[in-house]
Amino acid sequence: MFGFWKTWKALEARGIMGINRRNADYVLKYNKRSLYPIVDDKIITKERAIAAGIHVPELYGVISTEKEIDKLDEIIGERSDFVIKPAQGAGGDGILVIADRFEGRYRTVSGKIISHEEIEHQISSILTGLYSLGGHRDRALIEYRVIPDQIFKSISYEGVPDIRIIVLMGYPVMAMLRLPTRQSGGKANLHQGAIGVGVDLATGLTLRGTWLNNIITKHPDTTNAVDGVQLPYWDGFMKLAAGCYELCGLGYIGVDMVLDQEKGPLILELNARPGLNIQIANDCGLTLRTHAVEARLEELKARGVTETVEERMAFVQEMFGHIPPVEG
Ligand SMILES: Nc1ncnc2c1ncn2[C@@H]1O[C@H](COP(=O)(O)OP(=O)(O)O)[C@@H](O)[C@H]1O
Ligand SMILES: [Mg+2]
C-alpha cells in the first residue's frame, strides 16, 4: 500500500479530473438542470427505465406520507427479503437491506436483528428528508433485494457489489467494480468503506483496487485477489450503460448496475455527479478519456453524423481498452 496523495499527484500528470473541473466542464456543461429529477429521484429513474425496456429491481411499493406507513405490511406481504431506501438518497445512507425474518423481527444483510417499529421509524426518517439531497421531504421505496451472481462470492464480502460506468454523451469512459466490505454493511458505496476496483473497458477484466484511499490488490475481509477477475456479460453492461444517455438525456453520468443471480444485469441508479475515485482504481485520469470523446464528437459533428450504441462502444473499447494486468 502506498499513500493516496502520492498516487493522486502522480495521476495529475496523466489527466486526472478534480472536483472543480468535473463540475464546470462536465456536470454543468452536459447535464441540463431540468433533467436532474430523472436521476435524483430513484422512483422516477425506475419509471423511465421500465418505459425504455431496461431491467431494474422490481418496485414493491412507495410510501409518501406518515399515514401510508400503515401500508408497509401489505406492501411486504409474505416476503422475507426486501430493500427500503430513500428515493432521493445518496452515498448508501438510509438504505435498509432486509435479508430474512427472524421470530417476528427482521434480519439485515449484515446480521442485525431489527423490529417492525424500527423499520417504521426508519421510513419516517426517510420521509422527513433526513437522507435526501438538500434535506427536502422524500418518499421511501420498497423494492426487490438483489441476490448477487455467484461469480462475486469469491471476491466479495456479503451485500451486493455494483458496477459503475461513467458515460459521457453516451460513450462509456471509465468503469469500476465496487465491492462491499464488513465495514460498508453490505453496501457498495466507497464512502461507506466499500472497495473500488478498476475494470478494463474492452475485456471486463478487473484491475487494481482502492480502499479507504489506499491501493490494494486483495479484499481485506476475504483476502482474495480483486484483480484479474473476468466480469461476466461485460459487453452487456457496457451497452446498458451507453444506452442510459438516451434514457435520461444527461450527458455526464455515472451508471450503477448489478448482476442478479436470477434476473441478470439490472440498473440500480444513475448519478449526475459521479465521484472521482474511479481514477485511482483505474490508475488513469478521466480528462484523458473525456477529451478523446469530445474530440470524437467534434469530428462526427463536422461530418454531420452520430453513432449508435454499438459504434460508441467499439470506439471506447478500441481507444481506452486492453490494459495490461497489474504487476506484482
Ligand atoms: N435492491 C437492492 N438489493 C440489494 N442491495 C441493494 C439494493 N439497492 C441498493 N443496494 C445496496 O446499496 C448500495 C447503494 O444503493 P443505491 O441504490 O446505489 O443508492 P445510493 O444513491 O445511496 O448509492 C448499492 O450499491 C448496493 O450495494
Ligand atoms: Mg449508488
Side-chain angles (χ1 to χ4, degrees), residues 166-173 293 296-297 300 307 312 315-316:
I166 295 191
V167 182
L168 175 61
M169 297 302 286
Y171 291 79
V173 289
V293 168
R296 173 72 165 181
L297 288 169
L300 292 170
E307 291 188 303
R312 300 191 311 240
F315 173 77
V316 299

Side-chain angles (χ1 to χ4, degrees), residues 42 83 85 90-92 95 143-144 146 160 162 186-189 269:
K42 294 184 170 71
V83 172
K85 67 169 88 162
I95 298 180
E143 70 178 13
Y144 169 79
V146 173
V160 180
D162 69 13
K187 290 169 215 162
N189 302 81
E269 65 153 343

Side-chain angles (χ1 to χ4, degrees), residues 213-262:
N213 293 337
N214 288 299
I215 306 297
I216 54 156
T217 52
K218 285 189 188 128
H219 192 294
D221 300 318
T222 64
T223 70
N224 288 326
V226 294
D227 56 340
V229 178
Q230 175 66 60
L231 299 181
Y233 301 105
W234 184 245
D235 280 357
F237 281 115
M238 287 286 284
K239 202 170 162 189
L240 208 52
C244 281
Y245 171 51
E246 277 83 4
L247 168 79
C248 70
L250 290 150
Y252 188 73
I253 48 171
V255 179
D256 292 352
M257 295 159 290
V258 290
L259 185 58
D260 185 83
Q261 196 172 269
E262 277 173 22

Side-chain angles (χ1 to χ4, degrees), residues 60-287:
Y60 295 151
V62 175
I63 293 178
S64 312
T65 62
E66 294 284 336
K67 201 160 177 302
E68 284 176 10
I69 296 179
D70 292 344
K71 288 198 320 190
L72 182 63
D73 269 340
E74 200 184 311
I75 293 172
I76 298 170
E78 293 297 301
R79 295 181 183 100
S80 57
D81 65 335
F82 52 90
V83 172
I84 297 181
K85 67 169 88 162
Q88 298 182 51
D93 288 331
I95 298 180
L96 209 49
V97 183
I98 303 293
D100 206 358
R101 295 199 193 226
F102 179 73
E103 305 207 338
R105 290 165 190 254
Y106 298 93
R107 195 198 306 271
T108 71
V109 71
S110 38
K112 203 175 149 206
I113 304 289
I114 57 171
S115 66
H116 201 272
E117 289 68 41
E118 283 173 286
I119 294 190
E120 289 184 348
H121 183 257
Q122 172 78 2
I123 295 176
S124 175
S125 302
I126 290 174
L127 297 180
T128 61
L130 187 61
Y131 308 108
S132 74
L133 304 157
H136 300 295
R137 264 196 76 80
D138 198 2
R139 296 184 285 173
L141 64 98
I142 297 108
E143 70 178 13
Y144 169 79
R145 175 173 76 109
V146 173
I147 312 283
D149 189 278
Q150 290 293 332
I151 174 88
F152 296 115
K153 266 262 160 67
S154 69
I155 49 166
S156 174
Y157 181 85
E158 69 189 27
V160 180
D162 69 13
I163 291 164
R164 149 76 54 96
I165 300 187
I166 295 191
V167 182
L168 175 61
M169 297 302 286
Y171 291 79
V173 289
M174 207 172 270
M176 163 171 72
L177 169 70
R178 300 188 300 184
L179 301 169
T181 61
R182 187 188 293 266
Q183 186 162 336
S184 75
K187 290 169 215 162
N189 302 81
L190 300 191
H191 286 110
Q192 305 275 356
I195 301 171
V197 185
V199 182
D200 182 356
L201 287 187
T203 59
L205 272 171
T206 61
L207 308 166
R208 64 180 189 172
T210 167
W211 186 50
L212 304 174
N213 293 337
N214 288 299
I215 306 297
I216 54 156
T217 52
K218 285 189 188 128
H219 192 294
D221 300 318
T222 64
T223 70
N224 288 326
V226 294
D227 56 340
V229 178
Q230 175 66 60
L231 299 181
Y233 301 105
W234 184 245
D235 280 357
F237 281 115
M238 287 286 284
K239 202 170 162 189
L240 208 52
C244 281
Y245 171 51
E246 277 83 4
L247 168 79
C248 70
L250 290 150
Y252 188 73
I253 48 171
V255 179
D256 292 352
M257 295 159 290
V258 290
L259 185 58
D260 185 83
Q261 196 172 269
E262 277 173 22
K263 320 224 175 244
L266 305 173
I267 296 259
L268 207 49
E269 65 153 343
L270 306 176
N271 289 278
R273 311 160 200 81
L276 297 160
N277 272 2
I278 192 169
Q279 300 172 107
I280 307 286
N282 280 276
D283 196 22
C284 178
L286 272 165
T287 49

